[in-house]
Amino acid sequence: MAHAAPAPGDMPRRGGTPEVTAGHGPGGHAPVDVFEPRTHAIGRIAWPVGLGLIYGYWVASNDRDGGPITGSNLLLGFLSALVFALVYMAVLAIAPHVRREVHALLWTAFVGTAFGFMYTQAGGTYLRGIGYALLISVVTYGAFFYRFYTREDQAGHRVR
């Protein structure tokens, strides 16, 4: 019978399996990055701007509550989009450089604030908006802390 020949580097060493280093494939090679650095740089700006535009549209839509589109409604949507995108970019820039607890807390504050503001624009009371935002924040903190606790060392550096 014919079998495929193993590629160089796939053969186990004598008496064992190929070495695998942390975060690398067999043979210690780093994973392949399919995008070039320029694509990553564009993505670091395009992603927050795109999400900001969606958030701003959603805030403006909640604010007008099915009524006519007004100038103040458009202004609220664009300002919300701008603030969301800027704060999102700031959190993306700052969060990886802090300890995992603060890292999770930054994302929690961002998500809770964004949700609370969105809720109050939909016609909810401020007190209920704060309550729901705190509830969302507690769940978000738990999820993010677990994620960062399992993927970062104590100083906040990613462990591969």
Side-chain angles (χ1 to χ4, degrees):
M1 298 193 120
H3 296 283
D10 286 347
M11 293 297 297
R13 293 179 186 209
R14 211 178 262 205
T17 59
E19 288 184 30
V20 177
T21 57
H24 300 294
H29 299 292
V32 177
D33 189 5
V34 295
F35 298 117
E36 60 185 21
R38 181 173 178 249
T39 306
H40 286 288
I42 292 170
R44 277 192 289 277
I45 294 173
W47 187 247
V49 169
L51 285 179
L53 289 172
I54 292 169
Y55 183 81
Y57 174 76
W58 199 350
V59 166
S61 177
N62 283 346
D63 182 58
R64 72 183 181 97
D65 197 27
I69 298 174
T70 62
S72 63
N73 184 256
L74 287 173
L75 182 64
L76 175 67
F78 282 119
L79 287 178
S80 298
L82 179 67
V83 169
F84 183 92
L86 290 176
V87 172
Y88 187 33
M89 283 190 265
V91 171
L92 280 175
I94 295 169
H97 302 292
V98 296
R99 293 177 48 130
R100 59 186 172 210
E101 295 86 3
V102 180
H103 191 168
L105 194 61
L106 281 171
W107 282 111
T108 298
F110 176 69
V111 170
T113 304
F115 179 82
F117 181 70
M118 177 86 69
Y119 184 81
T120 58
Q121 293 305 309
T125 63
Y126 288 107
L127 192 56
R128 187 175 284 181
I130 291 170
Y132 284 144
L134 286 174
L135 180 67
I136 293 291
S137 295
V138 167
V139 172
T140 302
Y141 183 78
F144 276 116
F145 181 76
Y146 175 77
R147 182 180 188 280
F148 299 140
Y149 187 79
T150 58
R151 290 179 171 83
E152 293 179 355
D153 63 5
Q154 192 171 11
H157 303 112
R158 288 186 181 170
V159 177
R160 298 226 179 229

